[in-house]
Amino acid sequence: MNDALDDVRDHYRATGLTERLKSALTVFGPENEPLTPQQLGTLDQFHTRGLAATAELARLAGITADMSVLDVGSGVGGPARFLAATYGCRVTGIDLSEPFVDAARYLTQRTGQSEQVSFRAASALEIPFADDHFDAVFLQHVAMNIAERTRLYREIQRVLKPGGRFATFDVVANGGEPHYPVPWARTPTTSFLLTADATHAAIEQAGFRTLVSQDDTETAKAWFAQMRASGPPPSPNLGVVMGPDFAQFTTNLGRNLLEGRLGILAAVFENDSPKAGNHLENR
Ligand SMILES: C[S@@+](CC[C@H](N)C(=O)[O-])C[C@H]1O[C@@H](n2cnc3c(N)ncnc32)[C@H](O)[C@@H]1O
């Protein structure tokens, strides 16, 4: 793997994560008692607006029970578990961070969803699945860690069936240098932001057609303002995953949005690019 990926992996190293989660989750009862995906919602949705954002993106993408979904950069697996529980679809998550993958498997076992939801350690730049494999791909708050955007979006296009949906929810550059640290990077070394327009251009160039595009910046600002007004976050929260600095990371993201340095983009695309085989068949 190259240096940039190693630096990103370091940021999400999360030593001892599964043990920390085990002890944080004792608030919900003994380990042999099943948990619901909703109970985990305050600590397993690692993106702006948490569970509400995942629910909205899933609705925009038109997820249905018969779909096979890939979550790229699946974190500790909250979005994957939510999609499976809500729609009945099968979900596979891949993530660069092995501790996150271990934690995602542990939490999925606790919610009793291991038959429907699985995780694997892998890079978004080398997705370990065959061409035309998935009906939908999710990418939430991941692209800002990836410098090679053309390669990223081409990999996603490759594993999607023709006509498949690609749903993305990401932080975008908006005309100012961000204050660091932020949730995805302690310094600019692991942050590779594009503007919303440049993100669209890169995705369309990879063979996608835009179905929905939403500037979610104002909604995100309102969410951060409400969080600040409502005092300390409910426990357990993402501090268990990212450590005590997480409060500072989140404060800075809110400040970057309020100062117009960053924005939030939610968008859904259709795989519009005929694969070589299909192209020949269609002639
Ligand atoms: C901010 S978290 C978002 C996690 C999850 N998508 C969610 O919304 O809950 C970013 C995740 O992307 C993963 N990631 C970053 N770069 C990656 C890459 N090149 N390949 C796979 N995963 C990556 C990180 O390990 C981390 O789990």
Side-chain angles (χ1 to χ4, degrees):
M1 295 247 179
N2 63 32
D3 289 349
L5 290 190
D6 285 341
D7 289 344
V8 170
R9 203 190 284 98
D10 269 351
H11 179 68
Y12 297 107
R13 190 161 296 287
T15 308
L17 177 56
T18 299
E19 287 310 312
R20 282 205 302 283
L21 285 168
K22 272 185 197 170
S23 88
L25 293 176
T26 54
V27 296
F28 296 126
E31 217 189 328
N32 56 0
E33 261 180 34
L35 297 169
T36 64
Q38 284 72 18
Q39 278 177 305
L40 299 177
T42 52
L43 63 70
D44 71 0
Q45 303 282 327
F46 194 168
H47 51 258
T48 312
R49 288 177 54 231
L51 202 48
T54 303
E56 190 175 323
L57 193 66
R59 190 181 52 74
L60 292 175
I63 300 300
T64 52
D66 55 347
M67 286 184 170
S68 171
V69 180
L70 175 68
D71 189 16
V72 172
S74 45
V76 295
R81 284 184 294 275
F82 171 83
L83 292 177
T86 309
Y87 293 96
C89 54
R90 290 188 63 79
V91 189
T92 306
I94 60 164
D95 200 283
L96 201 54
S97 161
E98 291 197 7
F100 276 29
V101 168
D102 288 345
R105 287 180 181 144
Y106 169 71
L107 294 174
T108 304
Q109 187 197 316
R110 293 287 309 266
T111 59
Q113 292 176 287
S114 300
E115 292 284 302
Q116 215 182 343
V117 184
S118 60
F119 299 94
R120 220 160 143 168
S123 166
L125 299 176
E126 282 174 67
I127 300 177
F129 293 99
D131 298 2
D132 300 357
H133 197 81
F134 294 99
D135 301 290
V137 174
F138 261 56
L139 183 78
Q140 289 186 286
H141 280 44
V142 179
M144 62 262 195
N145 274 134
I146 299 181
E148 294 180 75
R149 291 297 183 94
T150 304
R151 187 168 160 197
L152 167 68
Y153 298 129
R154 289 215 170 117
E155 262 305 83
I156 291 172
Q157 190 272 332
R158 181 184 68 73
V159 297
L160 257 183
K161 294 177 184 167
R165 299 288 157 96
F166 168 39
T168 185
F169 180 62
D170 259 307
V171 181
V172 291
N174 198 30
E177 185 55 24
H179 302 288
Y180 288 92
V182 283
W184 63 95
R186 287 178 182 275
T187 68
T189 319
T190 51
S191 184
F192 306 100
L193 297 161
L194 294 182
T195 62
D197 284 350
T199 303
H200 267 277
I203 294 173
E204 286 174 6
Q205 209 176 21
F208 289 99
R209 182 171 73 89
T210 303
L211 297 179
V212 183
S213 180
Q214 259 178 219
D215 180 348
D216 267 2
T217 311
E218 292 307 317
T219 318
K221 281 189 200 171
W223 182 78
F224 275 104
Q226 195 195 345
M227 277 221 310
R228 210 173 34 210
S230 59
S235 193
N237 55 54
L238 273 161
V240 178
V241 177
M242 290 302 284
D245 295 343
F246 192 70
Q248 180 65 46
F249 297 175
T250 325
T251 302
N252 280 348
L253 174 54
R255 182 178 169 204
N256 286 321
L257 290 168
L258 285 169
E259 291 178 6
R261 295 167 190 271
L262 298 178
I264 304 283
L265 171 71
V268 178
F269 302 84
E270 182 182 52
N271 179 9
D272 203 24
S273 171
K275 302 276 171 17
N278 300 325
H279 183 66
L280 289 174
E281 274 164 29
N282 291 341
R283 279 210 268 185

